[in-house]
PDB file of all heavy atoms in Angstrom:
ATOM      1  N   GLU U  64      -6.600  13.104   0.052  1.00  0.00           N
ATOM      2  CA  GLU U  64      -5.622  13.492  -1.000  1.00  0.00           C
ATOM      3  C   GLU U  64      -5.143  14.892  -0.609  1.00  0.00           C
ATOM      4  O   GLU U  64      -5.927  15.722  -0.177  1.00  0.00           O
ATOM      5  CB  GLU U  64      -6.288  13.548  -2.383  1.00  0.00           C
ATOM      6  CG  GLU U  64      -6.800  12.239  -2.851  1.00  0.00           C
ATOM      7  CD  GLU U  64      -7.597  12.324  -4.143  1.00  0.00           C
ATOM      8  OE1 GLU U  64      -7.628  13.440  -4.781  1.00  0.00           O
ATOM      9  OE2 GLU U  64      -8.148  11.315  -4.569  1.00  0.00           O
ATOM     10  N   GLN U  65      -3.828  15.119  -0.726  1.00  0.00           N
ATOM     11  CA  GLN U  65      -3.253  16.419  -0.353  1.00  0.00           C
ATOM     12  C   GLN U  65      -2.634  17.094  -1.623  1.00  0.00           C
ATOM     13  O   GLN U  65      -1.924  16.416  -2.359  1.00  0.00           O
ATOM     14  CB  GLN U  65      -2.208  16.311   0.722  1.00  0.00           C
ATOM     15  CG  GLN U  65      -2.694  15.666   1.971  1.00  0.00           C
ATOM     16  CD  GLN U  65      -2.691  14.155   1.931  1.00  0.00           C
ATOM     17  OE1 GLN U  65      -1.748  13.567   1.374  1.00  0.00           O
ATOM     18  NE2 GLN U  65      -3.648  13.516   2.504  1.00  0.00           N
ATOM     19  N   TYR U  66      -2.914  18.371  -1.738  1.00  0.00           N
ATOM     20  CA  TYR U  66      -2.401  19.156  -2.869  1.00  0.00           C
ATOM     21  C   TYR U  66      -1.645  20.360  -2.403  1.00  0.00           C
ATOM     22  O   TYR U  66      -1.994  20.945  -1.365  1.00  0.00           O
ATOM     23  CB  TYR U  66      -3.504  19.559  -3.815  1.00  0.00           C
ATOM     24  CG  TYR U  66      -4.226  18.367  -4.451  1.00  0.00           C
ATOM     25  CD1 TYR U  66      -5.377  17.854  -3.853  1.00  0.00           C
ATOM     26  CD2 TYR U  66      -3.743  17.743  -5.607  1.00  0.00           C
ATOM     27  CE1 TYR U  66      -6.056  16.767  -4.401  1.00  0.00           C
ATOM     28  CE2 TYR U  66      -4.391  16.673  -6.152  1.00  0.00           C
ATOM     29  CZ  TYR U  66      -5.532  16.166  -5.549  1.00  0.00           C
ATOM     30  OH  TYR U  66      -6.172  15.082  -6.083  1.00  0.00           O
ATOM     31  N   LYS U  67      -0.650  20.767  -3.169  1.00  0.00           N
ATOM     32  CA  LYS U  67       0.105  21.982  -2.849  1.00  0.00           C
ATOM     33  C   LYS U  67      -0.030  22.988  -3.988  1.00  0.00           C
ATOM     34  O   LYS U  67      -0.084  22.608  -5.167  1.00  0.00           O
ATOM     35  CB  LYS U  67       1.579  21.648  -2.577  1.00  0.00           C
ATOM     36  CG  LYS U  67       2.269  21.012  -3.774  1.00  0.00           C
ATOM     37  CD  LYS U  67       3.745  20.707  -3.537  1.00  0.00           C
ATOM     38  CE  LYS U  67       4.324  19.973  -4.736  1.00  0.00           C
ATOM     39  NZ  LYS U  67       5.722  19.599  -4.567  1.00  0.00           N
ATOM     40  N   LEU U  68      -0.020  24.235  -3.624  1.00  0.00           N
ATOM     41  CA  LEU U  68      -0.026  25.309  -4.641  1.00  0.00           C
ATOM     42  C   LEU U  68       1.329  25.950  -4.649  1.00  0.00           C
ATOM     43  O   LEU U  68       1.842  26.380  -3.579  1.00  0.00           O
ATOM     44  CB  LEU U  68      -1.100  26.339  -4.238  1.00  0.00           C
ATOM     45  CG  LEU U  68      -1.198  27.564  -5.202  1.00  0.00           C
ATOM     46  CD1 LEU U  68      -2.081  27.214  -6.355  1.00  0.00           C
ATOM     47  CD2 LEU U  68      -1.810  28.777  -4.486  1.00  0.00           C
ATOM     48  N   THR U  69       1.920  26.036  -5.804  1.00  0.00           N
ATOM     49  CA  THR U  69       3.253  26.688  -5.934  1.00  0.00           C
ATOM     50  C   THR U  69       3.241  27.613  -7.122  1.00  0.00           C
ATOM     51  O   THR U  69       2.368  27.519  -8.022  1.00  0.00           O
ATOM     52  CB  THR U  69       4.371  25.625  -6.152  1.00  0.00           C
ATOM     53  OG1 THR U  69       3.982  24.820  -7.286  1.00  0.00           O
ATOM     54  CG2 THR U  69       4.567  24.737  -4.948  1.00  0.00           C
ATOM     55  N   ILE U  70       4.214  28.540  -7.141  1.00  0.00           N
ATOM     56  CA  ILE U  70       4.361  29.426  -8.291  1.00  0.00           C
ATOM     57  C   ILE U  70       5.126  28.701  -9.376  1.00  0.00           C
ATOM     58  O   ILE U  70       6.096  27.957  -9.048  1.00  0.00           O
ATOM     59  CB  ILE U  70       5.063  30.705  -7.847  1.00  0.00           C
ATOM     60  CG1 ILE U  70       4.119  31.537  -6.983  1.00  0.00           C
ATOM     61  CG2 ILE U  70       5.546  31.544  -9.027  1.00  0.00           C
ATOM     62  CD1 ILE U  70       4.705  32.774  -6.341  1.00  0.00           C
ATOM     63  N   VAL U  71       4.756  28.873 -10.599  1.00  0.00           N
ATOM     64  CA  VAL U  71       5.416  28.204 -11.733  1.00  0.00           C
ATOM     65  C   VAL U  71       6.916  28.540 -11.704  1.00  0.00           C
ATOM     66  O   VAL U  71       7.265  29.731 -11.499  1.00  0.00           O
ATOM     67  CB  VAL U  71       4.766  28.625 -13.049  1.00  0.00           C
ATOM     68  CG1 VAL U  71       5.566  28.126 -14.245  1.00  0.00           C
ATOM     69  CG2 VAL U  71       3.340  28.080 -13.127  1.00  0.00           C
ATOM     70  N   ASN U  72       7.752  27.569 -11.911  1.00  0.00           N
ATOM     71  CA  ASN U  72       9.209  27.669 -11.895  1.00  0.00           C
ATOM     72  C   ASN U  72       9.794  27.946 -10.477  1.00  0.00           C
ATOM     73  O   ASN U  72      10.946  28.305 -10.306  1.00  0.00           O
ATOM     74  CB  ASN U  72       9.727  28.778 -12.848  1.00  0.00           C
ATOM     75  CG  ASN U  72       9.402  28.402 -14.266  1.00  0.00           C
ATOM     76  OD1 ASN U  72       9.378  27.223 -14.640  1.00  0.00           O
ATOM     77  ND2 ASN U  72       9.125  29.421 -15.071  1.00  0.00           N
ATOM     78  N   ASN U  73       8.949  27.810  -9.457  1.00  0.00           N
ATOM     79  CA  ASN U  73       9.413  27.937  -8.082  1.00  0.00           C
ATOM     80  C   ASN U  73       8.750  26.847  -7.248  1.00  0.00           C
ATOM     81  O   ASN U  73       8.038  27.158  -6.296  1.00  0.00           O
ATOM     82  CB  ASN U  73       9.131  29.351  -7.555  1.00  0.00           C
ATOM     83  CG  ASN U  73       9.864  29.664  -6.283  1.00  0.00           C
ATOM     84  OD1 ASN U  73      10.643  28.813  -5.781  1.00  0.00           O
ATOM     85  ND2 ASN U  73       9.644  30.822  -5.742  1.00  0.00           N
ATOM     86  N   PRO U  74       8.974  25.573  -7.608  1.00  0.00           N
ATOM     87  CA  PRO U  74       8.217  24.509  -6.991  1.00  0.00           C
ATOM     88  C   PRO U  74       8.583  24.184  -5.546  1.00  0.00           C
ATOM     89  O   PRO U  74       7.886  23.478  -4.858  1.00  0.00           O
ATOM     90  CB  PRO U  74       8.563  23.304  -7.889  1.00  0.00           C
ATOM     91  CG  PRO U  74       9.886  23.610  -8.479  1.00  0.00           C
ATOM     92  CD  PRO U  74       9.924  25.095  -8.609  1.00  0.00           C
ATOM     93  N   SER U  75       9.674  24.733  -5.063  1.00  0.00           N
ATOM     94  CA  SER U  75      10.112  24.362  -3.694  1.00  0.00           C
ATOM     95  C   SER U  75       9.414  25.217  -2.643  1.00  0.00           C
ATOM     96  O   SER U  75       9.433  24.867  -1.436  1.00  0.00           O
ATOM     97  CB  SER U  75      11.615  24.484  -3.571  1.00  0.00           C
ATOM     98  OG  SER U  75      12.010  25.791  -3.883  1.00  0.00           O
ATOM     99  N   ILE U  76       8.852  26.361  -3.035  1.00  0.00           N
ATOM    100  CA  ILE U  76       8.154  27.223  -2.037  1.00  0.00           C
ATOM    101  C   ILE U  76       6.638  26.947  -2.145  1.00  0.00           C
ATOM    102  O   ILE U  76       5.989  27.318  -3.132  1.00  0.00           O
ATOM    103  CB  ILE U  76       8.393  28.726  -2.311  1.00  0.00           C
ATOM    104  CG1 ILE U  76       9.908  28.990  -2.437  1.00  0.00           C
ATOM    105  CG2 ILE U  76       7.761  29.580  -1.223  1.00  0.00           C
ATOM    106  CD1 ILE U  76      10.732  28.801  -1.137  1.00  0.00           C
ATOM    107  N   ILE U  77       6.087  26.321  -1.098  1.00  0.00           N
ATOM    108  CA  ILE U  77       4.669  26.007  -1.094  1.00  0.00           C
ATOM    109  C   ILE U  77       3.857  27.224  -0.609  1.00  0.00           C
ATOM    110  O   ILE U  77       4.138  27.772   0.467  1.00  0.00           O
ATOM    111  CB  ILE U  77       4.415  24.786  -0.209  1.00  0.00           C
ATOM    112  CG1 ILE U  77       5.110  23.561  -0.843  1.00  0.00           C
ATOM    113  CG2 ILE U  77       2.913  24.503  -0.074  1.00  0.00           C
ATOM    114  CD1 ILE U  77       5.064  22.319   0.030  1.00  0.00           C
TER     115      ILE U  77
END
Side-chain angles (χ1 to χ4, degrees):
Chain U
E64 297 174 6
Q65 302 82 38
Y66 297 94
K67 60 179 175 182
L68 178 83
T69 54
I70 289 174
V71 172
N72 296 327
N73 194 0
S75 58
I76 309 292
I77 296 173

